[in-house]
């Protein structure tokens, strides 16, 4: 039986590290990078150049998985074929797709052309080098940064940038650059309850970050964004660097006559995370439309991608043994948002569906603990 796993992110790597060599089962993994990226720490790479990668080969030892460093170009479900940019074609009996998501620019004029995303290592490098340039004494351009989107990624990024700003300003004796966070919705971090949101907002304020909620980004040029309030008031904000973290959508790479997609372009899957019309195909992580116990889409997070991956790994082993597949039951264990340095806010699930809210150093430790749990689950 030929099994192909596409992507070694939070979902795909969790699948692969759950596997054991089984006679008759041949598993190949296709991943564009030779390393796993801790995407949840990409904002740290953008602000501080932190290393956020781990080589894949040692993680796959003992799994029987053959990792090939290739970029998938197309997945044809009707032909059961995967083709790569490098010109290879792979066929499969079972396919697992976990190729993640891409930025959604919502066709806002000028945004895709002028904004940096925070979706890849090159984006982090680009932001880091802008900050370095802004603190070069010979730099004469606009030093201010505008970030669009006040969800988890946007807030984690602006707070980390603010920390770096403080350090460099003291070190180089130059005034800090301005940071604005623009959000079309009525509040930052909609995933949090009001009390935790207020803590997060207070932290943004203490860093001097200008937060503009209820301001829709209407247009971007090379050096400015135009924002508009619900009552039509419009304003232009100059920027040396524009960063867009305001939306994602599933990577659009799969083709199939009977393939169905839902919100955010996510592929419709059944209770075992398989595509109903193509039961030999599992779609997991940000690409799949996994549903919770109330029939609502699970959030696109590393936590859920990892859970889906671990379940799919187990289910591949069950398939190989001719056993029934286990059903997906997501479990949101908590949510922690880093606010720069040792500051964070979040909550942890307690028995009987109670939530324990945390702020400050303790929340930071919990955030780090969830990252270490992930590391130990794949090692
Ligand atoms: C800055 C940032 C901060 C975040 N913070 C958090 C957080 O605190 N908590 C949380 O739970 N979630 C967070 N997330 C979201 C989380 O990272 C994603 O939900 C998670 O990575 C989804 O897992 P995945 O396996 O579906 O996709 P990914 O982890 O993105 O993995 C996809 C894999 O596919 C590979 N790939 C993509 N295209 C191709 C191709 N064509 N060919 C071959 N390989 C390919 C990629 O290199 C990657 O290894 C954050 C995301 C970002 C960007």
């Amino acid at each position: 039986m030929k099994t192909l796993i596409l992507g070694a992110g939070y979902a795909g790597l969790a699948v692969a590290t759950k596997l054991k060599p089984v006679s008759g089962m041949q598993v190949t993994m296709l991943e564009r990078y030779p390393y796993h990226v801790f995407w949840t720490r990409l904002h740290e790479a953008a602000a501080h150049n932190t290393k956020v990668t781990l080589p894949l080969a040692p993680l796959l030892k003992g799994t029987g998985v053959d990792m090939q460093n290739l970029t998938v170009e197309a997945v044809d479900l009707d032909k059961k074929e995967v083709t790569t940019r490098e010109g290879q074609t792979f066929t499969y009996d079972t396919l697992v797709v976990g190729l993640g998501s891409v930025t959604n620019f919502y066709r806002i004029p000028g945004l895709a052309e002028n904004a940096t995303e925070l979706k890849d290592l090159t984006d982090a490098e680009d932001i880091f080098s802008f900050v370095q340039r802004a603190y070069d004494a010979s730099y004469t351009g606009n030093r201010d940064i505008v970030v669009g989107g006040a969800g988890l990624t946007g807030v984690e990024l602006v707070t980390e940038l603010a920390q770096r700003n403080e350090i460099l300003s003291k070190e180089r004796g130059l005034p800090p650059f301005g940071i604005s966070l623009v959000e079309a919705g009525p509040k930052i971090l909609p995933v949090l309850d009001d009390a935790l949101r207020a803590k997060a907002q207070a932290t943004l304020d203490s860093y001097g970050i200008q937060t503009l909620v209820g301001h829709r980004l209407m247009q971007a040029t090379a050096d400015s964004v135009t924002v508009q309030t619900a009552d039509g008031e419009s304003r232009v904000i100059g920027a040396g660097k524009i960063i867009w973290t305001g939306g994602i959508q599933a990577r659009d790479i799969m083709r199939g006559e009977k393939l169905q997609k839902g919100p955010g372009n996510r592929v419709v899957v059944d209770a075992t995370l398989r595509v109903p019309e193509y039961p030999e195909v599992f779609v997991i992580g940000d690409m799949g439309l996994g549903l919770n116990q109330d029939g609502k889409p699970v959030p696109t997070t590393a936590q859920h991608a990892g859970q889906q991956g671990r379940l799919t790994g187990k289910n591949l082993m069950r398939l190989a043994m001719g056993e029934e597949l286990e059903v997906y039951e997501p479990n949101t264990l908590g949510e922690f948002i880093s606010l720069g340095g040792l500051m964070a806010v979040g909550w942890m699930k307690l028995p009987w569906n109670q939530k324990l809210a945390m702020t400050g150093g303790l929340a930071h430790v919990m955030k780090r603990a969830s990252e270490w749990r992930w590391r130990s689950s794949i090692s």
Side-chain angles (χ1 to χ4, degrees):
M1 191 172 80
K2 274 199 280 185
T3 300
L4 259 187
I5 303 173
L6 309 183
Y10 287 88
L13 190 55
V15 178
T17 50
K18 274 277 164 208
L19 300 180
K20 297 266 176 306
V22 173
S23 120
M25 183 162 133
Q26 178 199 327
V27 186
T28 306
M29 174 177 241
L30 308 184
E31 162 60 51
R32 60 185 169 167
Y33 297 140
Y35 38 76
H36 170 67
V37 183
F38 296 100
W39 300 114
T40 58
R41 298 189 63 186
L42 201 56
H43 56 285
E44 293 176 44
H48 308 288
N49 210 13
T50 313
K51 185 169 181 281
V52 292
T53 58
L54 209 57
L56 274 172
L59 300 174
L60 296 172
K61 266 199 190 138
T63 61
V65 175
D66 170 32
M67 215 284 286
Q68 300 208 20
N69 211 195
L70 296 168
T71 300
V72 175
E73 202 156 61
V75 179
D76 187 328
L77 301 184
D78 297 314
K79 288 192 187 154
K80 289 174 104 180
E81 259 181 25
V82 172
T83 45
T84 69
R85 186 176 297 164
E86 296 79 5
Q88 280 103 321
T89 300
F90 292 82
T91 57
Y92 58 82
D93 299 304
T94 306
L95 177 70
V96 180
V97 188
L99 293 171
S101 49
V102 296
T103 300
N104 189 345
F105 292 99
Y106 300 106
R107 299 187 186 179
I108 297 170
L111 193 58
E113 297 81 354
N114 294 301
T116 301
E117 310 166 40
L118 189 58
K119 278 302 268 177
D120 212 334
L121 291 168
T122 48
D123 302 325
E125 280 160 22
D126 184 50
I127 296 166
F128 181 78
S129 68
F130 173 78
V131 172
Q132 293 293 98
R133 257 199 329 278
Y135 272 100
D136 189 320
S138 62
Y139 182 75
T140 53
N142 189 333
R143 301 167 74 230
D144 295 344
I145 296 181
V146 174
V147 176
L152 185 147
T153 305
V155 169
E156 289 194 329
L157 176 64
V158 288
T159 49
E160 213 63 59
L161 285 173
Q163 285 245 321
R164 176 93 182 132
N165 205 10
E166 275 182 16
I167 294 168
L168 288 177
S169 176
K170 274 193 200 125
E171 230 175 66
R172 312 268 166 101
L174 287 170
F177 51 74
I179 304 176
S180 302
L181 181 63
V182 176
E183 168 59 48
K187 49 194 174 190
I188 65 163
L189 296 172
V191 292
L192 290 186
D193 67 25
D194 287 344
L196 287 176
R197 188 177 11 268
K199 287 271 182 200
Q201 185 63 63
T203 307
L204 297 189
D205 296 344
S206 73
Y207 285 130
I209 294 165
Q210 170 178 238
T211 312
L212 298 169
V213 291
H215 283 71
R216 187 172 293 280
L217 208 153
M218 304 300 289
Q219 187 190 331
T221 66
D223 54 10
S224 72
V225 297
T226 305
V227 296
Q228 197 177 62
T229 60
D231 46 24
E233 191 192 313
S234 186
R235 165 173 172 194
V236 176
I237 309 172
K241 170 63 79 191
I242 302 162
I243 305 168
W244 177 244
T245 66
I248 59 161
Q249 57 187 342
R251 196 175 294 277
D252 182 21
I253 204 161
M254 295 170 73
R255 294 288 170 266
E257 292 232 334
K258 291 172 278 178
L259 186 68
Q260 286 180 54
K261 295 193 176 172
N265 220 17
R266 291 163 79 184
V267 173
V268 173
V269 290
D270 66 13
T272 56
L273 305 176
R274 291 185 293 180
V275 181
E277 305 293 343
Y278 300 90
E280 67 283 11
V281 181
F282 295 81
V283 183
I284 53 177
D286 284 3
M287 277 188 80
L289 191 62
L291 302 178
N292 68 16
Q293 290 80 351
D294 302 325
K296 300 218 171 84
V298 294
T300 46
T301 64
Q303 181 181 165
H304 291 102
Q307 286 178 14
Q308 293 177 12
R310 283 189 287 279
L311 174 75
T312 304
K314 262 203 236 170
N315 277 340
L316 289 182
M317 296 306 285
R318 283 174 172 264
L319 270 182
M321 306 293 173
E323 295 170 5
E324 288 258 308
L325 299 196
E326 240 179 73
V327 161
Y328 174 54
E329 285 179 4
N331 184 11
T332 304
L333 300 167
E335 192 119 44
F336 288 92
I337 291 136
S338 110
L339 297 173
L342 301 179
M343 180 65 193
V345 290
W347 59 273
M348 183 179 120
K349 187 173 167 182
L350 293 176
W352 299 290
N353 264 343
Q354 298 298 301
K355 285 181 178 182
L356 176 64
M358 288 180 225
T359 57
L362 190 56
H364 172 77
V365 170
M366 291 305 294
K367 171 113 183 154
R368 282 282 182 261
S370 67
E371 287 158 8
W372 280 104
R373 257 201 313 278
W374 166 248
R375 260 181 190 244
S376 65
S377 79
I378 54 170
S379 305

